[in-house]
Each structure stands twice: as structure tokens, then as C-alpha cells.
Amino acid sequence: MSNERTRILVVDDEEIVRESLGGWLEKDGYSVHVAVDGFAALEKLKAERWSILIVDLKMPGMDGLQVLEEAKKLQPELAVVIMTAYATVDTAVAAMKLGAYDYLVKPFDPEELSLMMQKIVSQQTLVRENAVLRQALKREYRFRDLLSKSPAMQAVFELARTAARSNSTILVLGESGSGKEVLARAIHQESPRAEGPFVAVSCAALTESLLESELFGHEKGAFTGAIARRKGKFEAAHGGTLFLDEVGDIGSKLQLDLLRVLEERRFHRIGGNESVDVDVRIIAATNRDLKRAVGEGKFREDLFYRLNVIPILIPPLRDRREDIPLLVESFVERLSVEMKKRLDGVSSEAMSALMAHDWPGNVRELRNILERGAVVCTGPVIQLPDLGLPGKPDAAPRPGTLASLEEVERRHVSAVLAHTGGNVSQSARILGIDRVTLYNKMRKWGLRRDGEDEPPRDDNGAR
């Protein structure tokens, strides 16, 4: 980024300082503006975007720290440099706590000033470039509100884009929490029906009679409590998309009713004789194995094939762990905005735990765990304890992978030594054995460092 594009606001009640500082900065090619006090500076900050604010600490009415505090509220990304003729450690600490980039001590060294400005501009340029790169990566891996870099999901996105252009029925398959409804909404938004309604119905949440009324509506007096005509979801989705979630849970009567609607594109409201024509695109979803349900006689075969025109399978999150960092970054950014709380990401320890988790609840579980972490974290970085990840039960050993007792002991001793950095005394205390016994085990298993004839020294230099 050239200096000409970098806008600097200089705030000082002394004209000679404003002129000299402005002159030096303009000589370096910056666009420099000045303000005579903090109030005037805040007006300029409210009106325009600035790259750098250089403000004097001692000013009448509003001092530099007050200006700094208000400026960061208006433009959080602004680099603020505090000027002072009375630099103290307390002043510097207070300025840094409020978000100052650095401070300058009067009288200025023009060369020091120039280097500081170049450093700020370089860092701001790097931040912008990283942001652009992240956005580019997200666009590359995004299908509407879905984000993934895994080859399996990219194939899902490609099929979904192609299917969106048609009017065919789509069956979305996947585990709970894998994003079936999000994919259905994305397909709707990519389709020629995007201007029409998207209506979602959870088939598993209602009894069969309530679901029938919900889907097809009813006429006045059709049943007790039907005090007026009510349109159903099919009519509400006319011209758009009807998303039938957990369609595998509907009963046999509704399966037949649904089949008729799909074939005839018309139906009767409950208790009505009038035929209602609808133009609706159906996207159904299920976490059940419908083929097996058909084989077991629990789901109509003709309905299955009517729904399964374009099947799209969303792989579970545990099978596409490369997506986890991308999703974590995206969720943390959203949570930061929603909670109006600074969140820079998760710690490396927390990310390792997230990558190792099995995610039975898939993307929904990841989002919920990050929300918990965002709520309870006390700093800008979400730490591992903030996530409250459930303990992972020990996996059952597979045949042929069982280790001997000695091998288990060797691995544990090796892990403890690694944990203590090779400190024999500390390791022996953790293991509950004396140092000689530990040393003998180390010699037996070759856990000594190269060329080491004696056990490593402990904290006190003793062997």
C-alpha cells in the first residue's frame, strides 16, 4: 500500500507540533489532516475512515487517553500513537491497555517517526491481505451458507448446484446436525424459485393427524377445533420449495397422501371437496436408511423412488475433519458479531481437541460447543476448558491391536518422561517409583538420550 493512500490524523493543541509533525509525514507521502483538540478529532473520526491517529497525551478538555478510548470504539482497527513529553511506564501501560499501537516521546526524531509509520502501514497491509485471502478461500469453499474444503463436500456442492437448476425432487441424506436443512435452503436460493417461499416442516415433530393438517390445511368444521379454514404448508410453499425434514418418520397414511401430491400436484384440504393445485418443488431429508425401511415394509417403495430422484449424501463431520478449522474460524467470526465480543479464535490446544473429537452431533454440535466457549471465555482466545468438550470414552481395542503389559508400561513411562522434559526425579514422583527403578526401566527400553550412560539430572542437578 502506498503512503498516499494512508490517511493520518494528527491531534495536538499546539500549532507548532501539528505543523512540524504534519510536514514530516507529508514529506513521506502520507495524506495528513489535523485537529486542534480531542473533540474535533472525534468529529473527524465519526465522519471518515482513518488509518493512523497520532494524538497528544496532554490536552485541555479531553486528554489523549480519552481520545484513544473513544476512537477505538468508533474505528477498532485504527492504529493510535500517543504523543507525550512526559513518558512514564504507567502512561505507556495505560495507553497499551486501551489499545494504543505505540507512543512517541517529544521532541520527535523524524527518522524514528518515519520507521514507526512504515511499520504500521506494513502491518495494516498484511492484515488486509490476510482478510482478502481468507474471504477468497471462503468463497472458493462456500456453497451459500455451507463451508467446506473437503473433496466429498465439494462434490456435494457441485451436485447441489446442478440440481438447483432443475425442478426435480431431491432427497438429502445425512446424520442429524450435518446441515441437511442448510443445504436445502442453499439449493432453493440457487434455484429459479429463489424469489418464492421456502417452507420447512419437521415431520418427526408432529403426530400423524397434526402433520396431515399442517401439510394440507383444513376446512372449517373438519374436526373439533377447526373453527376456520386454514391453509397448509403445501399452499404456503406455492411457487417455492417445501422442505420435508425427517420424511422417513411419517406414517403409512401420510406416505400415500404425499405420494399422490407428488404425482398429481394437487390435493384436498382436510374436510374439503375442492381440489387445490400447487406448484411446489419438494426437497426431503432423512437420517434414516430408507432403502432398508422399504425392505422392512416400513416405507412405501413407490414413494421412496418418487423422493429419491436426486439423492445427495452429506458426509458426517468426522469424515471430513479438514473442514473443522474452516468452520471454527467462520463460527467464531459470527459469534463475535452476534455477541458483540472480541473473539480472535481458539487456542492451539483447543483446536487439537476439536480435531480429535468424534462429533456425533456433527456441525450443529461444533457450533454449539463454540458458542459455549465464546460465552465463558474471559479473553479474546477460546481456551480448551472453555469448550467443555465431553470426555471421550476409551475405544474398544480391535483384534490384533492389543498391547502387552510391558508395552503399555513402556509407552506410559515414555509419555511421562516427555511430559517432564526428561526430568528423572519428577518423572519418578509422578510414576510412584524410585529413581533407580525408573533409570533401570529407561536403560532396559532404550529411553536414554544418545551417549548418555547415566540417568539425566534432576532439577537440583542430582542423578
Side-chain angles (χ1 to χ4, degrees), residues 116-231:
M116 182 183 290
M117 294 300 106
Q118 288 176 22
K119 186 177 177 183
I120 292 174
V121 170
S122 296
Q123 289 186 356
Q124 290 179 332
T125 301
L126 186 61
V127 169
R128 279 193 292 272
E129 289 175 348
N130 285 340
V132 169
L133 182 59
R134 285 200 301 271
Q135 289 302 317
L137 286 172
K138 286 181 180 178
R139 283 195 296 273
E140 183 179 352
Y141 298 132
R142 184 182 290 277
F143 178 58
R144 289 286 178 172
D145 291 331
L146 287 162
L147 202 58
S148 174
K149 61 191 300 186
S150 78
M153 281 301 289
Q154 291 303 312
V156 167
F157 293 169
E158 185 60 31
L159 178 56
R161 287 191 183 94
T162 303
R165 294 193 288 269
S166 74
N167 200 36
S168 300
T169 301
I170 297 173
L171 181 60
V172 183
L173 306 164
E175 296 181 1
S176 294
S178 57
K180 296 190 290 294
E181 181 170 344
V182 179
L183 179 65
R185 288 182 182 276
I187 292 171
H188 169 74
Q189 291 166 356
E190 291 283 324
S191 76
R193 295 173 175 269
E195 297 300 318
F198 177 89
V199 179
V201 180
S202 175
C203 299
L206 301 170
T207 63
E208 189 169 48
S209 58
L210 285 175
L211 181 58
E212 182 183 18
S213 176
E214 190 74 6
L215 289 174
F216 305 117
H218 59 254
E219 297 290 346
K220 180 180 178 181
F223 49 81
T224 303
I227 58 175
R229 170 188 282 184
R230 182 175 181 274
K231 292 183 178 180

Side-chain angles (χ1 to χ4, degrees), residues 247-320:
V247 74
D249 289 13
I250 64 175
S252 56
K253 181 181 181 304
L254 265 180
Q255 290 179 28
L256 178 60
D257 293 341
L258 182 58
L259 178 64
R260 286 174 178 164
V261 179
L262 290 173
E263 291 180 344
E264 300 174 6
R265 298 290 169 179
R266 64 168 59 97
F267 63 93
H268 294 83
R269 299 189 192 98
I270 298 174
N273 297 316
E274 180 185 351
S275 180
V276 181
D277 293 331
V278 288
D279 173 22
V280 173
R281 198 257 184 89
I282 299 292
I283 301 179
T286 183
N287 60 8
R288 291 176 179 266
D289 185 343
L290 285 190
K291 276 189 177 179
R292 175 178 292 180
V294 169
E296 295 172 347
K298 297 177 180 177
F299 200 84
R300 294 182 66 96
E301 184 176 22
D302 45 8
L303 178 59
F304 169 69
Y305 286 114
R306 196 67 184 82
L307 294 173
N308 196 41
V309 178
I310 303 178
I312 300 178
L313 174 62
I314 301 179
L317 187 57
R318 62 179 173 277
D319 288 347
R320 47 188 179 99

Side-chain angles (χ1 to χ4, degrees), residues 328 332 341-354 369-389:
V328 167
V332 169
K341 179 178 182 179
R342 179 184 169 186
L343 296 170
D344 294 342
V346 303
S347 69
S348 56
E349 188 182 17
M351 181 61 80
S352 297
L354 293 172
I369 282 180
L370 288 171
E371 180 176 342
R372 179 195 187 282
V375 170
V376 304
C377 71
T378 56
V381 177
I382 299 173
Q383 305 294 331
L384 177 57
D386 301 330
L387 299 174
L389 276 168

